[in-house]
Amino acid sequence: MEEKSKKSRRKFLDRGLKIGVAGVLGGIGLSKLSAKFSSDEKVSTGETMELMTTDGTIVEVDTSEVMEVSHDHHYSMDYNVREGIPNRKFVMVVDLAKCKNALKCQTSCNKNHYITGDNAWIKVYKMQESPDTAPYWMPTTCQHCDKPACVTVCPVDATFKREDGLVLIDNERCIGCRFCMAACPYSTRVFNWGDPGQEVTLNLDLTDYEPTPEYAGKPSKMGTVDKCDFCPHMVKQGELPHCVTACPNGVFYFGDKYEDTVTNGEETVRLSKLLKDKAGYRLLESLGTEPSVYYLPPVDRLVEFEDGLQYYKEFESVEKPTEE
């Protein structure tokens, strides 16, 4: 089990631990028992394997009873981009006890999405409820709500919600009215007042590039709205979002709510157990937006708050390029 947990940080869908495969016997997981459904006589190998039933019970069976089921997570490029990846519900968990404002998540996101200036999709805030309470660092990103207010107010259907839980923006449709920015209670959207600049686009090959709302890995258009997209172009290849892989402290967990599994690249855990054991919560729950991002309280911290002060810049989300 330890060996599996140390697999590549980037391959999370194809290499989940047994504890994170919620549907092993229900058709969603990687394997299924075949002896009871086949008239073929099985020859015992004497070797056993542990599997999880749909109710969470670990059972031990002979390897001859297990049949591998093809489950390719490298989804077809021709699936409906606006509908999303079938039978998935992507979620994120942010462990505030681990965050020290290293800003590696923000740097990686900016680099891979060609973001400059104040337009960072991930912002890390210095939080303190009162002078008598302890301060802590809080990364914020798009909440990918199940009932998103931004989708409701968009007049041109540029902002839309997919069946797999992702809320995306079609920059080709966006008219820059910014109604979605006004409607978002989390203030996570940004507006592209200008082009990224030559420092971003100079060595960028845009040959035969066709914009698509699932791949924001190219500079966005001036006059349109942007936000975190959970890196659907990465997820489709069975890889983790950039912020998850870049974080040195394992702050971000990403996974599938239907499989009840999330991972930060180093460990894979059951989502429901993680939220229950560590009192997980969602931001502004009373609004009824049903966010897909959960937070774990900053208790039993692994790092000192003061360690992150050296990188903190109030009211400045991204270091701006110097003018010569």
Side-chain angles (χ1 to χ4, degrees):
M1 187 170 179
E2 291 183 358
E3 183 179 350
K4 289 185 178 180
S5 67
K6 294 179 181 178
K7 293 291 186 179
S8 169
R9 290 174 60 89
R10 303 180 67 84
K11 297 295 181 181
F12 77 100
L13 287 175
D14 291 335
R15 296 189 172 99
L17 296 180
K18 64 183 179 186
I19 195 172
V21 184
V24 169
L25 303 184
I28 300 178
L30 302 177
S31 305
K32 68 178 181 180
L33 292 177
S34 61
K36 294 183 179 180
F37 306 100
S38 174
S39 59
D40 297 338
E41 183 177 354
K42 302 294 181 181
V43 179
S44 176
T45 64
E47 298 179 357
T48 60
M49 175 183 294
E50 289 184 339
L51 296 176
M52 179 182 289
T53 64
T54 53
D55 63 0
T57 303
I58 299 294
V59 296
E60 191 172 274
V61 298
D62 191 275
T63 55
S64 64
E65 302 292 318
V66 180
M67 181 177 66
E68 189 72 17
V69 177
S70 176
H71 195 78
D72 187 6
H73 291 283
H74 295 261
Y75 302 98
S76 172
M77 294 295 288
D78 59 1
Y79 79 95
N80 192 317
V81 171
R82 294 183 73 91
E83 291 182 2
I85 300 173
N87 304 316
R88 295 286 162 187
K89 175 61 171 71
F90 296 111
V91 295
M92 179 174 284
V93 180
V94 182
D95 191 346
L96 299 179
K98 297 178 179 179
C99 184
K100 68 173 184 179
N101 193 39
L103 296 181
K104 298 298 183 182
C105 58
Q106 187 186 85
T107 301
S108 180
C109 178
N110 292 345
K111 177 181 178 181
N112 287 283
H113 294 97
Y114 302 97
I115 300 169
T116 60
D118 291 321
N119 277 13
W121 294 357
I122 300 176
K123 296 180 175 65
V124 182
Y125 293 103
K126 175 185 175 184
M127 302 294 291
Q128 187 173 16
E129 278 68 26
S130 74
D132 296 327
T133 59
Y136 60 93
W137 300 108
M138 186 174 191
T140 60
T141 181
C142 174
Q143 303 294 300
H144 291 273
C145 305
D146 282 343
K147 298 178 181 178
C150 55
V151 172
T152 304
V153 301
C154 182
V156 292
D157 198 29
T159 293
F160 61 97
K161 178 182 179 295
R162 308 199 317 185
E163 293 179 3
D164 56 15
L166 272 60
V167 177
L168 302 181
I169 302 174
D170 187 343
N171 282 139
E172 294 298 298
R173 282 177 174 263
C174 181
I175 58 175
C177 67
R178 290 177 283 168
F179 287 176
C180 59
M181 296 181 68
C184 176
Y186 304 101
S187 300
T188 59
R189 293 182 167 230
V190 296
F191 187 73
N192 296 306
W193 290 99
D195 292 321
Q198 192 178 54
E199 72 276 7
V200 171
T201 59
L202 182 61
N203 298 315
L204 187 62
D205 183 11
L206 296 176
T207 306
D208 299 325
Y209 168 63
E210 295 183 6
T212 168
E214 72 160 357
Y215 183 44
K218 299 290 182 181
S220 297
K221 297 174 61 176
M222 182 174 64
T224 62
V225 176
D226 262 339
K227 69 172 191 65
C228 156
D229 59 3
F230 272 3
C231 299
H233 57 294
M234 304 291 291
V235 174
K236 186 169 65 175
Q237 301 301 322
E239 300 181 355
L240 290 165
H242 293 295
C243 58
V244 181
T245 57
C247 179
N249 296 320
V251 172
F252 300 93
Y253 291 79
F254 188 80
D256 190 333
K257 187 175 183 180
Y258 292 159
E259 288 192 348
D260 198 22
T261 309
V262 291
T263 180
N264 62 3
E266 294 294 336
E267 61 174 343
T268 304
V269 296
R270 184 183 289 280
L271 172 65
S272 57
K273 187 176 188 303
L274 181 65
L275 297 178
K276 181 179 179 180
D277 291 348
K278 296 195 174 183
Y281 65 95
R282 298 187 293 188
L283 298 182
L284 303 178
E285 189 78 73
S286 61
L287 296 180
T289 55
E290 300 291 332
S292 295
V293 177
Y294 299 83
Y295 285 86
L296 305 181
V299 296
D300 299 326
R301 301 190 207 181
L302 302 182
V303 296
E304 296 291 336
F305 171 80
E306 289 73 15
D307 291 346
L309 288 175
Q310 60 178 316
Y311 302 111
Y312 180 63
K313 296 182 180 180
E314 192 171 13
F315 306 125
E316 186 174 326
S317 62
V318 181
E319 185 175 353
K320 301 172 184 175
T322 57
E323 297 182 3
E324 296 182 358

